[in-house]
Amino acid sequence: MGARASKPAQSATRKFPTRAPGSSAPPHTQQRPSTQPRTNPQASFAKDDTVKAENIDPDPNPLTNAAFSQRLKQMGVATPNPTLSNSLTAFPYASSSEHGPAPQAPNFPPASQNRTLSALEARQRLQERAQLEFENMAQGKEFIDIGTLKQMLALQARGTPASDIEKRFKLKSGVVARLGPKGVTLPLGG
């Protein structure tokens, strides 16, 4: 089997339709004049059952039960439960007599017992302290970046005294001591 056998489409000759030049198109494509007068359809503003049936959107999910979908449509829009929010807009001007008894707000634990809020408050306090330190660098640094920390740990591993490290990086006294004794914290790859 050579290359010629594997490519039969290239060896086939192309055949064109046979029709004499200048001849007209086949009779089935020509339009015939209509003997009936054309009438314009009149618009109707009344909706009949056919129009109403066409307006119904088909269910996009074929696995959904049609009866279930119909019941959901009959139920209508859900009324949201009230939340503990300053931007609550559900029934902003309604009195409790219109909608039955006033719903109670959710009972959340106090902010002091919420771990997430406590962590966020601690983060905010540290951010404020770091900002104050940045504005007044003359008193020495307590907050350091990772590059400085890596250099401090390398010096500590070589046996440099804590007071010398603090002077070199202009740190407050005791910052190096908070890292722990030599060998407790080590720079990665250093």
Side-chain angles (χ1 to χ4, degrees), residues 18-168:
T18 56
R19 185 171 56 158
S23 67
S24 64
H28 64 275
T29 60
Q30 292 179 350
Q31 291 188 3
R32 296 181 187 146
S34 175
T35 57
Q36 298 177 355
R38 275 192 152 172
T39 59
N40 292 335
Q42 297 294 320
S44 172
F45 295 103
K47 291 186 179 181
D48 60 352
D49 291 336
T50 308
V51 172
K52 289 179 182 175
E54 289 175 355
N55 278 343
I56 297 174
D57 290 332
D59 195 353
N61 186 354
L63 301 176
T64 305
N65 185 345
F68 177 71
S69 296
Q70 186 62 31
R71 285 192 303 270
L72 285 176
K73 287 179 186 176
Q74 288 174 350
M75 288 172 57
V77 178
T79 304
N81 285 334
T83 59
L84 184 60
S85 170
N86 295 334
S87 62
L88 178 65
T89 59
F91 310 120
Y93 303 108
S95 66
S96 61
S97 62
E98 292 177 20
H99 300 287
Q104 294 180 354
N107 188 12
F108 292 114
S112 61
Q113 293 178 357
N114 189 328
R115 291 180 181 169
T116 303
L117 291 178
S118 298
L120 290 173
E121 288 172 1
R123 169 71 171 86
Q124 182 65 31
R125 285 191 304 271
L126 287 172
Q127 179 66 34
E128 290 169 0
R129 284 179 50 201
Q131 185 65 30
L132 286 172
E133 179 183 287
F134 181 74
E135 291 170 359
N136 188 6
M137 296 285 270
Q139 295 178 356
K141 294 191 297 185
E142 186 177 6
F143 295 95
I144 53 175
D145 62 284
I146 194 67
T148 305
L149 177 62
K150 191 172 181 180
Q151 291 174 6
M152 287 171 46
L153 291 173
L155 289 172
Q156 187 184 33
R158 286 190 218 134
T160 308
S163 60
D164 292 347
I165 296 172
E166 290 168 351
K167 284 179 189 173
R168 180 174 180 177

